[in-house]
Amino acid sequence: MRWEEEGMKQNAFIMGNKLMGSNPHAFSLIMPSIPITHTQTPYVTGTSVLGIKYKDGVLIAADTAGSYGSTTRYKSVERLRPIGQNTLVGATGEMSDFQTILQILDRLIITNAMFDDDNTLGPPDIHSYLNRVMYNQRNKLDPFWNTLMLGGVKNGVKYLGNVTMLGLHYVDDHVATGFGIHLAQPIFRNEWNEDMTLEQGTKLLEKCMLVLFYRDRSAINKMQIANITEDGVKISEPYALQTKWDYEAFSNPTVGNEGSW
Amino acid sequence: MSTIGTGYDLSVTTFSPDGRVFQIEYATKAVDNSGTVIGVRCKDGVVLGVEKLISSKMLLEGSNRRIHAINRHAGMALAGLAADGRQIVTRARTEAANYLSFYGEDVPIKELSNRVAHYSHLCTLYWWLRPFGSSSIIGGYDMDGPQLYTIDPSGVAYRYYGAAIGKGRQAAKTEIEKLRLAQMTCREGVMAVAKIIYGVHDEAKDKSFELEMSWVCDESNREHQRIPTDLLMEAKAMARDAQEDDLDAF
């Protein structure tokens, strides 16, 4: 019975506390039939991140929304962050986990800088490190609930890839996370080419961000685009796209099919 | 002043009749026998310089670093026993990382120096430990501006405008006192430090040395870094010329 389970869990908690203090997993250790659980659901989430390589580097775009379930709770969340001199990380999913990941990456960068040996970490290094972090958390059954996008240019080599919360990682010429996988990637496949200029790349990303704003309920019309070249990382100020709502079909949506709506 | 404390110098937990702890004084001697280390606080930052005595021609240039970054905004230059110094650096780095992770901001230089001093002092309280045989000069830039601290083996931290430890500290201090530090920029400070170190180096006693310098200043974006190579070359050349001019003056 459900209430019996709850009662048993409460008793287990009280007995566990008496036996082993406030370790939340203590009772699970002495009575293995009660499983160890960690947070399984995200709370404040960011939606899609889109990334493409272009002639001089990498372009990555994301909106600035932090949703709390179905409500758009935070509208100025910076989901794109520079890491070191050559890399940018963008995150989909639980924003608090992203903040923790940023702290972990900051520690990585500082520790590397203190070696003082003229070696800096580039995008492939950070990609590999993030993969290890995500995979190890997943193996503890306590994942960082994020899909991370990573892009950058170092020594003339352009790099763009993803790491998921399961620790799956891959690189490609154009990548997306979240809804972008379903709505933006098909557009990339049709319209991306290797020698796009900055203007063409920006137009392509803006087109896909517009589609996402129209169709993804957690997206808002306030986005940032990051441009990573050999010279470094530049993240734009948040801006809005031009939207079109004056389609004829919207003026009288039920023409030809009048009903209660 | 008698510096031999027969009978009262076997343990760091023993006072002598005139109130001294000889073990700490002996530890300080280890520092006084090592190469000179200088720090100056200019108006826009801190410059650290080390006279790295080269014990063998086989040593690779640039190895055996004596100046270490503690966090992004602070650096530490060491004199005395190198291995003891390495331990202090590790501890300082841990303290800085803990402060950042706990309080969410970079450790203030005063707090960092206090913690390093506390750690050095710790090793003067127990008979099963020995004091660290190294002093450190911490240079950093925080919200209160650029700051310079020295920590010695007894575990005291003092804040300075200009500091020198090691072999040539007396001569170096005299030279530093002549500088108008409050009006100098770090670029000028780099030239001055190079000149002083070349000046106090004793050609007769010690064969050769390598000059190692670093700074934390507005120009380096308040980050601790080695002096840019071209500026270092310029400083070394100027210092060498200044030495030759002094010799020619005779």
Side-chain angles (χ1 to χ4, degrees), chain B residues 181-218:
Chain B
L181 289 169
Q183 277 92 41
M184 280 171 96
T185 65
C186 271
R187 285 210 154 232
E188 294 160 2
V190 167
M191 301 296 165
V193 165
K195 200 165 151 219
I196 295 174
I197 291 194
Y198 270 81
V200 304
H201 175 66
D202 191 338
E203 276 299 328
K205 283 207 192 125
D206 309 304
K207 284 295 142 61
S208 60
F209 77 104
E210 192 191 323
L211 176 63
E212 190 178 321
M213 286 213 281
S214 77
W215 64 2
V216 202
C217 59
D218 291 333

Side-chain angles (χ1 to χ4, degrees), chain B residues 90-101:
Chain B
T90 308
R91 181 69 185 212
R93 284 178 172 163
T94 309
E95 294 283 1
N98 276 337
Y99 189 97
L100 177 59
S101 126

Side-chain angles (χ1 to χ4, degrees), chain A residues 75-252:
Chain A
K75 296 201 260 184
S76 300
V77 180
E78 285 183 34
R79 294 197 290 121
L80 302 176
R81 294 299 181 113
I83 309 289
Q85 297 300 111
N86 316 91
T87 320
L88 183 102
V89 170
T92 298
E94 173 58 58
M95 285 293 106
S96 64
D97 283 344
F98 181 46
Q99 287 175 346
T100 303
I101 289 171
L102 287 175
Q103 285 179 348
I104 294 174
L105 285 176
D106 196 37
R107 178 66 12 212
L108 174 73
I109 297 290
I110 295 180
T111 308
N112 188 260
M114 290 201 289
F115 284 126
D116 208 3
D117 58 359
D118 294 324
N119 175 276
T120 55
L121 294 171
D125 313 318
I126 301 193
H127 196 200
S128 178
Y129 184 76
L130 274 179
N131 175 225
R132 288 262 69 73
V133 166
M134 300 298 276
Y135 186 66
N136 274 305
Q137 278 298 124
R138 163 259 176 106
N139 284 342
K140 292 193 253 180
L141 270 293
D142 185 15
F144 285 132
W145 208 277
N146 293 110
T147 310
L148 302 164
M149 186 182 295
L150 207 113
V153 188
K154 193 177 175 201
N155 295 334
V157 178
K158 295 179 280 208
Y159 193 90
L160 181 62
N162 274 356
V163 184
T164 70
M165 74 180 199
L166 295 178
L168 171 69
H169 67 292
Y170 53 93
V171 292
D172 210 341
D173 293 326
H174 46 75
V175 286
T177 65
F179 259 98
I181 295 174
H182 303 103
L183 298 176
Q185 281 242 260
I187 304 181
F188 289 159
R189 286 186 200 116
N190 280 336
E191 300 186 15
W192 180 88
N193 68 75
E194 228 184 302
D195 302 304
M196 296 180 93
T197 63
L198 178 60
E199 287 74 34
Q200 292 170 325
T202 308
K203 266 205 167 47
L204 178 59
L205 280 182
E206 284 181 349
K207 174 178 180 176
C208 294
M209 291 298 287
L210 193 58
V211 171
L212 284 169
F213 173 59
Y214 285 140
R215 295 294 178 176
D216 177 5
R217 72 121 185 246
S218 16
I220 61 172
N221 190 10
K222 184 176 170 193
M223 58 172 270
Q224 289 178 296
I225 281 198
N227 178 16
I228 312 105
T229 58
E230 192 74 52
D231 301 326
V233 181
K234 272 200 274 293
I235 307 177
S236 73
E237 287 298 304
Y239 65 100
L241 299 167
Q242 287 277 55
T243 55
K244 182 177 163 62
W245 299 103
D246 58 355
Y247 290 103
E248 215 186 281
F250 292 166
S251 60
N252 189 6

